[in-house]
Amino acid sequence: MVLTELIMKKIALIIVVTLVSKATEAQIYGVPDTLAYLQTLVANKSQFIGQPFSKLADSLKLQIKYFIPFESLSYDVTKETSTTFAFYKPLTADSVYLIYPCFEVHWYPYLNSSQSETLFGYFGGGWAPNVCAFYSPGIVADIKIRD
């Protein structure tokens, strides 16, 4: 019986610590609901359109962890037309679904897809200073939610 009480106390402690850490994380980042935060970002996208991506990146309350470049022009695959940015980096191909919700930035002028694909391959899609330096001067044409 004493062993059962000890186990129950440990379980209760684990639950309390988990809840406190989640609440602390929400306070630190100020974003308890990622989708709602992204909806606000898209609603205010006019302040970022026509501006360098660095302005958007610097204003984010969440840290970008992962990126996926897209080339959607069938006649010119050297142009990156948009990029998805996520706040979670999947550990395996089977966990890519965990990046959602995330946001997609459309570029104009388009970016060099060979550079972004090289960065994606080298860093495995992970956000790094080199990746940030590549995207920072890119001009934002539009921002959308990917959920």
Side-chain angles (χ1 to χ4, degrees):
M1 181 141 77
V2 173
L3 184 60
T4 305
E5 288 177 18
L6 184 60
I7 292 171
M8 293 301 284
K9 286 181 181 179
K10 284 186 179 184
I11 290 172
L13 180 63
I14 290 170
I15 291 170
V16 168
V17 168
T18 302
L19 292 174
V20 167
S21 68
K22 291 285 185 190
T24 302
E25 182 178 320
Q27 289 173 358
I28 289 172
Y29 297 114
V31 180
D33 183 345
T34 304
L35 182 57
Y37 173 67
L38 291 176
Q39 289 167 337
T40 302
L41 178 72
V42 170
N44 296 310
K45 67 184 176 181
S46 63
Q47 64 185 319
F48 303 110
I49 291 176
Q51 299 294 320
F53 178 72
S54 58
K55 181 177 178 182
L56 170 60
D58 291 345
S59 73
L60 292 174
K61 294 180 182 179
L62 294 171
Q63 183 181 13
I64 296 172
K65 304 268 185 178
Y66 189 68
F67 74 102
I68 306 170
F70 291 101
E71 305 86 20
S72 64
L73 301 175
S74 59
Y75 58 88
D76 191 354
V77 294
T78 66
K79 306 290 187 208
E80 179 177 347
T81 56
S82 65
T83 309
T84 293
F85 296 97
F87 308 112
Y88 174 81
K89 183 178 188 293
L91 303 175
T92 65
D94 291 338
S95 64
V96 171
Y97 70 94
L98 293 172
I99 71 167
Y100 299 97
C102 51
F103 69 103
E104 180 176 49
V105 172
H106 292 258
W107 309 105
Y108 195 80
Y110 304 132
L111 303 180
N112 181 329
S113 67
S114 60
Q115 284 184 280
S116 59
E117 289 294 335
T118 299
L119 289 167
F120 183 84
Y122 187 79
F123 293 105
W127 195 247
N130 298 22
V131 179
C132 183
F134 171 74
Y135 284 107
S136 285
I139 303 299
V140 175
D142 197 8
I143 304 169
K144 297 181 179 181
I145 296 174
R146 297 202 57 179
D147 57 356

